[in-house]
Amino acid sequence: MVTLIPGDGIGPELAASVKEVFSYANVPVDFEEILVSGLVSKGNKKTLERAVNSLQRNGVGIKGVIRTQLDDVDSLSLNMLLRTELDLFANVVRCRSIPGVKTRHDDVDIVIIRENTEGEYSRLEHEIVPGVVESLKIVTRARSNIIAKFAFDYATTHHRKRVTAIHKANIMKMSDGLFLRQCEQVASLYPDIEFKSMIIDNCCMQLISNPRQFDVMVMPNLYGNILSNIGAGLVGGPGLCPGKNVGIGCIVFEQGARHAAISKAFQNKANPTAMLLTSVDLLRHLGLTHHAQSIEAAVYKTISLSKIRTEDLGGTASTSQFVQAVIRHLESVGA
């Protein structure tokens, strides 16, 4: 059983795409669907508790982005609450070039690993006096050590050669300095993995001008949010990158660039590629390798051979047309 949280905006359409493809491919997965929305103010606490209980029980889930209200200072991000309640300490986003999608750079393959529970996302803000707001950035030795070790273990397991730590320790000497020191200490335990560090502002420029210098990147929370969106832009946009949130005993898959795209909701225009590739990672996690490979190949063939393009990639195909093309490619391989 897999927990499914469709989310807001284009999330329900993307979730429906996954269910349709899974159904055709006879994927042996049942979904426990929990509706959690940031578009309504009432009942969120109860539905979030249901989602947390479901994920704790099942140990695995897939979700869309839940909208966070910008104009309500008392409205907490349900996405953040879900990550902290389940202690999903690592966010992993793979930004990889897709054959058939023309971009400035070819052969990009970067894994962005983001500390997912603290930093600027600690939700500790207050107004000292009218017009003066203090926001606290929390960085701990324990969490920095955990995310650094996770990044090096990931690099080792996935046969990656380099880990780059991203920071702003030249200015935030205590907080980012602590993070960087922990990365350096962990790096010394992995002599076969090359270690580098880079300041966040320089990293943004380097990522755009020469992305192939990066392999695995590890960083505090906010920098990861920024760089995963830059990485998505490098390979064609937010509709292409899969992602996941990893905890101890629980893993939640979601597309790498977290955009609810409220303005495009229920228009049949959303690109389902990222969500389908995210579901492929889910299947690999569940040990359903054959189904994962079949769906992944069908998605890539839809883009590279059939040249089916949704609006975000300069095409005119609808979400449903893209999904039907994926299903036709599954038919061709007998999935």
Side-chain angles (χ1 to χ4, degrees):
M1 183 70 71
V2 172
T3 302
L4 171 62
I5 303 171
D8 292 318
I10 60 175
E13 295 169 87
L14 299 181
S17 299
V18 170
K19 289 192 289 186
E20 186 174 358
V21 170
F22 276 26
S23 176
Y24 178 82
N26 293 315
V27 176
V29 166
D30 292 320
F31 289 112
E32 180 182 0
E33 190 165 335
I34 309 289
L35 300 180
V36 182
S37 174
L39 297 176
V40 295
S41 57
K42 293 183 179 180
N44 281 336
K45 184 176 180 181
K46 186 170 292 187
T47 56
L48 188 69
E49 286 177 357
R50 286 182 58 218
V52 169
N53 291 336
S54 173
L55 286 162
Q56 288 174 334
R57 182 171 59 253
N58 296 328
V60 61
I62 184 168
K63 68 179 283 291
V65 178
I66 305 167
R67 175 70 181 272
T68 300
Q69 300 289 356
L70 300 179
D71 54 357
D72 182 358
V73 295
D74 295 320
S75 175
L76 298 177
S77 167
L78 298 176
N79 298 292
M80 285 172 53
L81 288 173
L82 198 65
R83 296 196 291 269
T84 53
E85 285 290 324
L86 294 165
D87 197 16
L88 301 172
F89 62 87
N91 176 244
V92 182
V93 177
R94 187 173 185 182
C95 303
R96 177 169 57 166
S97 298
I98 294 180
V101 178
K102 186 173 178 57
T103 57
R104 183 180 180 88
H105 300 282
D106 298 323
D107 300 322
V108 174
D109 189 359
I110 302 167
V111 176
I112 297 172
I113 296 177
R114 162 189 179 185
E115 201 292 317
N116 216 19
T117 60
E118 55 180 26
E120 294 85 353
Y121 287 68
S122 301
R123 308 193 308 275
L124 297 173
E125 292 185 312
H126 60 276
E127 190 171 39
I128 303 172
V129 296
V132 180
V133 174
E134 182 177 52
S135 179
L136 301 181
K137 171 178 177 174
I138 306 300
V139 177
T140 64
R141 179 181 291 108
R143 289 285 168 168
S144 298
N145 185 276
I146 287 170
I147 198 65
K149 190 174 187 307
F150 179 89
F152 278 92
D153 285 342
Y154 183 99
T156 301
T157 303
H158 293 82
H159 308 291
R160 297 277 181 157
K161 298 178 179 179
R162 182 185 306 112
V163 172
T164 304
I166 310 303
H167 64 92
K168 190 63 177 173
N170 59 324
I171 301 299
M172 287 173 274
K173 298 180 185 296
M174 294 186 71
S175 56
D176 280 26
L178 174 61
F179 173 82
L180 179 58
R181 286 193 301 276
Q182 292 305 118
C183 288
E184 291 169 343
Q185 289 177 17
V186 170
S188 67
L189 304 175
Y190 296 80
D192 295 331
I193 304 294
E194 180 186 355
F195 175 69
K196 297 179 67 175
S197 63
M198 189 175 291
I199 294 171
I200 178 62
D201 37 340
N202 180 38
C203 176
C204 291
M205 184 271 291
Q206 294 286 343
L207 189 58
I208 291 170
S209 61
N210 182 22
R212 285 186 289 273
Q213 68 183 288
F214 297 104
D215 192 353
V216 174
M217 306 170 74
V218 62
M219 62 213 68
N221 210 333
L222 178 61
Y223 308 154
N225 190 12
I226 295 168
L227 293 181
S228 60
N229 281 274
I230 293 176
L234 282 173
V235 299
L240 298 175
C241 295
K244 59 185 175 182
N245 301 291
V246 181
I248 297 174
C250 185
I251 182 167
V252 179
F253 294 85
E254 66 176 338
Q255 59 187 77
R258 297 165 175 168
H259 298 283
I262 299 295
S263 63
K264 294 184 181 297
F266 304 108
Q267 297 178 35
N268 201 22
K269 292 182 178 180
N271 185 346
T273 302
M275 197 63 163
L276 289 172
L277 293 178
T278 296
S279 74
V280 165
D281 288 343
L282 163 69
L283 295 177
R284 286 201 171 97
H285 172 74
L286 295 173
L288 299 171
T289 307
H290 172 72
H291 291 92
Q293 291 174 340
S294 297
I295 294 172
E296 183 178 50
V299 170
Y300 286 144
K301 286 178 181 178
T302 297
I303 296 172
S304 62
L305 297 181
S306 301
K307 301 188 183 303
I308 300 292
R309 301 283 191 280
T310 45
E311 188 179 81
D312 59 310
L313 297 181
T316 59
S318 66
T319 306
S320 54
Q321 287 172 331
F322 189 98
V323 170
Q324 288 307 308
V326 171
I327 288 173
R328 285 195 296 273
H329 283 295
L330 285 171
E331 289 175 350
S332 69
V333 297

